[in-house]
Amino acid sequence: MPTQPDMTTPSVPRPAGETPPAEPAFETLQHQVAVFARRAEQTRLGGVGQARNSMDRAAYLLLNRLDQDGPTGVKALASGMGIDSSTVTRQVAPLVDSGLVNRTSHPEDGRAVVLELSARGAARLEQVRASRRALMALLTEDWTAEERDAFCALLTRFNDALSELHSPGVPAS
């Protein structure tokens, strides 16, 4: 009778001498991260109410970064987000066209572009943030404040580790 494969043993080849982790949590974690990624993409975790799913992830992250950092050059924005300048340029174009971001010349180097959140962009970002906060409140309504704080701390730590793995020196947020 054939035996069932050991689901805690990854099928990915490992360097010689490296043993697989014995901790079953790694199996659960990899599966739950995959489920989360799928569900997050399906719903885009876009919030509740009128603003639900009204802003894509790239736009949200760009607007959020500009809100945090203030007026920023394309290269600095790309570096801070761990993406290349051409990606920022492509992603910011519709935000400029829709009036959410202003594009101006750098005050010291007229050839360089500076991006900044417009008043309309700030209002739109706050609308989306409020919708997303409402969704998070709904999803965690039966959690204690301590559970929410612990989840936030661990998720931030996880995202920071992913960011460091893929783009050393670039913060996850």
Side-chain angles (χ1 to χ4, degrees), residues 61-77:
L61 292 172
L62 280 166
L63 294 178
N64 198 57
R65 178 62 77 150
L66 288 172
D67 185 47
Q68 290 175 353
D69 297 349
T72 309
V74 172
K75 288 182 182 178
L77 186 58

Side-chain angles (χ1 to χ4, degrees), residues 12-169:
V12 177
R14 288 178 299 282
E18 184 180 322
T19 58
E23 195 171 335
F26 291 135
E27 181 63 23
T28 300
L29 183 59
Q30 69 80 24
H31 178 75
Q32 290 302 321
V33 167
V35 169
F36 172 77
R38 181 183 66 219
R39 289 190 177 141
E41 197 57 36
Q42 286 171 340
T43 65
R44 295 168 50 206
L45 287 183
V48 295
Q50 192 173 21
R52 182 169 190 248
N53 292 331
S54 62
M55 184 178 290
D56 69 40
R57 179 185 48 211
Y60 177 79
L61 292 172
L62 280 166
L63 294 178
N64 198 57
R65 178 62 77 150
L66 288 172
D67 185 47
Q68 290 175 353
D69 297 349
T72 309
V74 172
K75 288 182 182 178
L77 186 58
S79 175
M81 295 182 70
I83 57 180
D84 62 69
S85 296
S86 65
T87 300
V88 167
T89 300
R90 185 178 65 253
Q91 290 177 349
V92 83
L95 301 175
V96 170
D97 291 343
S98 64
L100 300 177
V101 171
N102 294 324
R103 184 183 318 204
T104 59
S105 295
H106 193 283
E108 297 166 10
D109 179 0
R111 297 169 296 163
V113 172
V114 174
L115 302 169
E116 69 179 328
L117 194 60
S118 69
R120 182 174 179 210
R124 184 75 185 97
L125 179 60
E126 183 48 39
Q127 180 185 34
V128 171
R129 281 180 178 157
S131 175
R132 289 176 177 209
R133 283 191 302 266
L135 176 61
M136 295 303 111
L138 178 66
L139 293 173
T140 63
E141 67 186 350
D142 62 343
W143 296 19
T144 66
E146 293 78 19
E147 288 171 326
R148 282 190 291 274
D149 289 344
F151 183 73
C152 287
L154 290 171
L155 187 57
T156 299
R157 187 174 170 188
F158 186 81
N159 279 329
D160 286 347
L162 275 173
S163 181
E164 185 63 30
L165 178 69
H166 294 291
S167 303

